[in-house]
Amino acid sequence: MLAANAQLVPGYPEGPRGLARSLPTSRAVDRVAAKLGVPAFETPTGWKFFGNLLDAGMVTLCGEESYGTGSDHIREKDGLWAVLFWLNLLAASGKPVAALLAEHWARFGRHYYSRHDYEGIDSAAADGLMANLRVKLPALGGRALGRYTVDFADDFAYADPVDGSVSRQQGVRIVMTDGSRIVFRLSGTGTEGATLRVYLERYEADPAQHGLPPQTALAGLIEVAGDVAEIAARTGRAGPTVAT
């Protein structure tokens, strides 16, 4: 049930409400929302952005790439709730996870997705890498990068539809004409230096190509990310510390 002060999505006086994801989270959420005919919201990283949408009655489900998931009855992200949700799916369908994923991919296509973390980078070098990327952004639109062509490239800014606040420089994103994308963000949560997080995503509609190892499916995009950001030259790293 909506709170007394909830604002329903314009055009949906009785619902349905939408889905929300943070910038680094897979765009598979957007594809599902489009198929279901409900709104989709892309927010910066940070649960406060979801909180505004949830409290306003604008979304029903939301999630971050860190597996934090919530619904309109949970004000904060809850990993345990996500596990219980999966257990409910397994119990209700009587199917294993692999079968459910195969059915989902057959209906919506597969989004190959990976996060590469470069941990403990010199902070000045990390800041220089991001600054260099931002300088390149205006010239990237329409440019061929490997086998990809850039649709648009920007430094993500978010205008909150609830309180009107604007959050800038939330992550550099390079989106290709086929929907593939690369997102670069810095994180200061490490014990020393900075952590560069590189998010890589490629959409595959062909069911015959749904069984590839993610790092294999993303190999071309990984190479593009390294080249355009000059990761090796600017960080001294030949590869990520962790790839998930």
Side-chain angles (χ1 to χ4, degrees):
M1 182 178 294
L2 291 179
N5 62 346
Q7 304 166 26
L8 288 168
V9 179
Y12 295 92
E14 301 295 335
R17 283 162 279 169
L19 307 177
R21 64 170 176 83
S22 62
L23 167 66
T25 305
S26 173
R27 296 175 82 189
V29 174
D30 304 35
R31 196 167 296 274
V32 170
K35 286 271 190 180
L36 298 179
V38 300
F41 297 87
E42 180 178 48
T43 76
T45 296
W47 203 259
K48 65 180 182 179
F49 300 105
F50 289 154
N52 278 356
L53 295 171
L54 289 166
D55 290 347
M58 297 177 72
V59 299
T60 300
L61 293 172
C62 52
E64 291 184 321
E65 49 88 24
S66 60
Y67 303 109
T69 308
S71 184
D72 53 5
H73 66 289
I74 298 177
R75 181 60 176 78
E76 300 290 344
K77 62 181 175 182
D78 190 340
L80 180 59
W81 182 84
V83 172
L84 291 173
F85 194 95
W86 262 105
L87 290 174
N88 187 65
L89 285 175
L90 297 176
S93 67
K95 300 174 182 178
V97 172
L100 291 173
L101 287 176
E103 289 180 7
H104 178 87
W105 294 337
R107 181 179 178 187
F108 297 103
R110 180 172 183 180
H111 284 251
Y112 284 102
Y113 176 91
S114 183
R115 188 181 90 185
H116 288 194
D117 288 358
Y118 296 78
E119 299 176 347
I121 298 172
D122 175 77
S123 295
D127 289 339
L129 182 149
M130 293 299 291
N132 183 59
L133 270 174
R134 291 186 175 104
V135 169
K136 291 181 177 181
L137 291 178
L140 288 179
R143 180 178 165 186
L145 298 177
R147 68 180 184 86
Y148 298 95
T149 299
V150 177
D151 182 17
F152 68 89
D154 65 6
D155 198 350
F156 180 61
Y158 177 71
D160 194 302
V162 179
D163 63 20
S165 63
V166 177
S167 302
R168 305 186 188 280
Q169 292 195 341
Q170 296 298 305
V172 169
R173 58 181 180 175
I174 301 173
V175 181
M176 310 303 179
T177 53
D178 69 350
S180 298
R181 66 177 187 146
I182 307 167
V183 175
F184 301 88
R185 293 185 68 247
L186 289 186
S187 171
T189 57
T191 56
E192 67 175 80
T195 295
L196 171 67
R197 302 195 193 283
V198 184
Y199 302 87
L200 307 129
E201 182 169 18
R202 174 194 151 205
Y203 176 69
E204 179 57 68
D206 183 1
Q209 299 297 315
H210 288 172
L212 299 173
Q215 302 305 317
T216 300
L218 293 166
L221 210 56
I222 293 169
E223 183 176 358
V224 168
D227 288 345
V228 74
E230 304 171 19
I231 294 176
R234 290 181 174 274
T235 69
R237 305 291 180 84
T241 311
V242 181
T244 55

